[in-house]
Amino acid sequence: MYNILFKDMNCEKYKIIPVRRPDIPAPETRVKEYEVEGRDGILVENSGTYKPIKIEIEFNFLTEPETWAEVFRKAKAWLTGSGWLSLEDDQEYMYQVYYCGITDSERTSRRLGRFKAQFVCHPYMFLVSGKREYDYQSREIRYNPYDICHPIYKITGNGTCTLTVNGKTMKATVGQNLTIDTERMIAYRKDGTMMNTSVSGDYEDLYLKPGENEISITQGFTLTVIPNWRRL
């Protein structure tokens, strides 16, 4: 029996089971094609980015006739919105779901139901280990064995500091704590207060490239990193 987790909930909780393991599409590169009169072939502009992927999972469930509608309602409520999707046979990785919805459904008998859910996801798959918080000096952070990633930096201290990643810098004014999220390109405090005006520099400069990375912070401040390891 195959299982999935979505929004930290197992499909078994909702009494629904995937019919089979879903197919995972390869991400498609965003490219533009240009035809030039008098020239063979085409010119291609590669953006270096990828389109979202769509993962379709077919579910079925078996229940008493009087509870069929209620089971389906709960499944529909669960399979909506955003969250993290994990597959039973690939538990080291997870997919960031932008949104999810049921595409079609069928009541094949008084007790049996079947439907499809489509998960629209970030093109990269993310490592579960990449969601942990590490000291910036640890080897796990300084060496990236995966694709380029967009980490979260957490700084504690008071005053103005400089965060340096691979020779590029971001200056920040910190009042006890500051979180710099390079994926969302925002800075904020633990209580959720936005602090975008407290930082200066480019978020892209703080990405962790594949291979060795050098990270430093002004003396007197502490720094931890959630790397968000990912790969195609």
Side-chain angles (χ1 to χ4, degrees), residues 93-125:
Y93 290 87
M94 54 188 177
Y95 298 87
Q96 182 182 354
V97 179
Y98 295 128
Y99 63 91
C100 173
I102 292 176
T103 58
D104 56 62
S105 61
E106 179 184 10
R107 186 169 185 171
T108 56
S109 72
R110 295 182 67 234
R111 300 181 62 205
L112 183 64
R114 179 171 294 198
F115 62 89
K116 294 179 181 178
Q118 186 178 84
F119 300 83
V120 179
C121 304
H122 193 287
Y124 282 83
M125 60 183 74

Side-chain angles (χ1 to χ4, degrees), residues 106-165:
E106 179 184 10
R107 186 169 185 171
T108 56
S109 72
R110 295 182 67 234
R111 300 181 62 205
L112 183 64
R114 179 171 294 198
F115 62 89
K116 294 179 181 178
Q118 186 178 84
F119 300 83
V120 179
C121 304
H122 193 287
Y124 282 83
M125 60 183 74
F126 293 83
L127 278 88
V128 174
S129 60
K131 294 300 178 183
R132 299 171 189 155
E133 195 169 327
Y134 300 87
D135 183 90
Y136 79 98
Q137 294 178 313
S138 68
R139 178 64 178 169
E140 291 94 332
I141 290 299
R142 291 182 174 273
Y143 184 77
N144 175 12
Y146 309 106
D147 295 324
I148 189 169
C149 66
H150 303 169
I152 296 172
Y153 296 91
K154 294 187 175 184
I155 304 171
T156 57
N158 286 284
T160 300
C161 69
T162 300
L163 172 61
T164 304
V165 179

Side-chain angles (χ1 to χ4, degrees), residues 161-218:
C161 69
T162 300
L163 172 61
T164 304
V165 179
N166 297 321
K168 298 180 179 180
T169 62
M170 175 173 278
K171 294 188 180 296
T173 301
V174 183
Q176 296 184 331
N177 67 81
L178 182 71
T179 298
I180 300 173
D181 187 333
T182 65
E183 172 68 22
R184 298 162 64 197
M185 294 189 175
I186 58 173
Y188 54 91
R189 289 174 51 85
K190 286 182 180 178
D191 62 7
T193 303
M194 299 301 297
M195 301 294 291
N196 291 331
T197 58
S198 295
V199 299
S200 61
D202 294 326
Y203 290 97
E204 295 96 329
D205 289 342
L206 304 183
Y207 293 166
L208 295 178
K209 64 183 182 180
E212 295 287 346
N213 291 270
E214 293 295 329
I215 307 172
S216 63
I217 188 79
T218 301

